[in-house]
Amino acid sequence: DQQVKQNSPSLSVQEGRISILNCDYTNSMFDYFLWYKKYPAEGPTFLISISSIKDKNEDGRFTVFLNKSAKHLSLHIVPSQPGDSAVYFCAASTNYGGSQGNLIFGKGTKLSVKP
Amino acid sequence: DVKVTQSSRYLVKRTGEKVFLECVQDMDHENMFWYRQDPGLGLRLIYFSYDVKMKEKGDIPEGYSVSREKKERFSLILESASTNQTSMYLCASSLTGIFENTQYFGPGTRLTVL
């Protein structure tokens, strides 16, 4: 039973356009959400995060939006660049119930940005 | 700067061998984690540790054990490697605290079991 779902295994976008990666979750106790970027043969790199007290967080070309009522978050990349081509993982955590903040990961979305 | 290192980038072992994967972090983080990543399955948690000498099972602990004798070091052990343990192994660490759940990953170890 997946608590964090990334329903699109892949996404292809033209360079300069917007990339939108989506993530849905089922556990209403999740209160912290993160996006990681992963290149082949490398470890995931932390990209951006958002706590449940916010609905938007921005860092340069990357913006994460959180819709708690829909249990949905999205990552916007504007403008997209070929170097953004990677697998993006959504992750969620909760500090309740003694879970100590373990991250629950989605299965990832492979983004391809074409020149 | 955040630094998590893993002992090997690539490893080839034979079925039945005992395999040690080492992870070291220099950020004084309390929490350390071992994941494996397989195509289409995302990151799956094998074991984690909140403190020295402490360990907890993750989602897929079967066939694995861990050791944390020092705060900065977390070892993953495959007691008797099998071909279905061929995978990318990722180590991560994090601080303890509200909203301090960001995990920082090492470069990964690509393990092939023949």
Side-chain angles (χ1 to χ4, degrees):
Chain A
D1 183 29
Q2 275 187 270
Q3 296 188 67
V4 177
K5 297 180 183 179
Q6 293 177 256
N7 291 318
S8 298
S10 62
L11 175 68
S12 184
V13 171
Q14 207 67 34
E15 181 179 5
R17 307 294 277 268
I18 184 172
S19 295
I20 300 176
L21 297 98
N22 293 305
C23 180
D24 297 295
Y25 62 94
T26 56
N27 188 343
S28 58
M29 300 302 287
F30 286 146
D31 53 14
Y32 189 64
F33 304 89
L34 308 91
W35 286 94
Y36 285 84
K37 174 181 178 180
K38 187 182 183 300
Y39 293 118
E42 292 185 15
T45 302
F46 168 70
L47 201 54
I48 192 168
S49 63
I50 188 167
S51 72
S52 57
I53 60 174
K54 294 185 174 181
D55 54 19
K56 177 182 174 181
N57 190 26
E58 201 169 346
D59 184 1
R61 296 186 296 115
F62 303 91
T63 303
V64 55
F65 295 92
L66 176 63
N67 182 334
K68 289 188 291 293
S69 60
K71 295 192 181 70
H72 176 84
L73 67 156
S74 61
L75 175 68
H76 292 211
I77 307 173
V78 184
S80 302
Q81 298 173 355
D84 296 328
S85 298
V87 177
Y88 289 78
F89 290 98
C90 168
S93 73
T94 175
N95 287 289
Y96 297 96
S99 68
Q100 298 283 344
N102 283 4
L103 296 183
I104 309 298
F105 285 87
K107 293 187 176 182
T109 296
K110 184 176 182 180
L111 174 66
S112 299
V113 180
K114 298 182 177 179
Chain B
D1 197 17
V2 168
K3 188 88 173 185
V4 180
T5 57
Q6 294 183 229
S7 51
S8 305
R9 292 299 302 273
Y10 299 93
L11 211 51
V12 179
K13 295 291 181 181
R14 297 208 173 271
T15 301
E17 278 193 81
K18 191 168 186 176
V19 182
F20 293 87
L21 302 181
E22 301 283 336
C23 175
V24 178
Q25 51 94 5
D26 64 359
M27 298 162 287
D28 203 33
H29 284 175
E30 294 89 356
N31 309 317
M32 296 188 76
F33 307 83
W34 275 107
Y35 295 88
R36 64 178 281 178
Q37 187 209 355
D38 301 287
L41 297 179
L43 276 70
R44 293 183 292 167
L45 183 63
I46 305 172
Y47 265 97
F48 56 100
S49 169
Y50 296 138
D51 203 349
V52 176
K53 306 278 189 185
M54 296 186 70
K55 59 185 178 184
E56 297 284 344
K57 292 180 180 179
D59 300 319
I60 51 164
E62 296 78 19
Y64 304 94
S65 62
V66 290
S67 172
R68 191 156 181 212
E69 297 296 319
K70 294 185 178 182
K71 188 176 185 179
E72 67 271 18
R73 189 179 296 270
F74 193 35
S75 303
L76 180 69
I77 303 153
L78 286 66
E79 295 291 341
S80 178
S82 62
T83 54
N84 63 13
Q85 292 179 309
T86 292
S87 185
M88 168 72 104
Y89 289 88
L90 295 160
C91 175
S93 70
S94 72
L95 283 169
T96 295
I98 299 296
F99 298 138
E100 288 289 345
N101 296 331
T102 303
Q103 292 182 16
Y104 298 91
F105 284 83
T109 295
R110 170 68 67 183
L111 173 67
T112 302
V113 182
L114 302 174

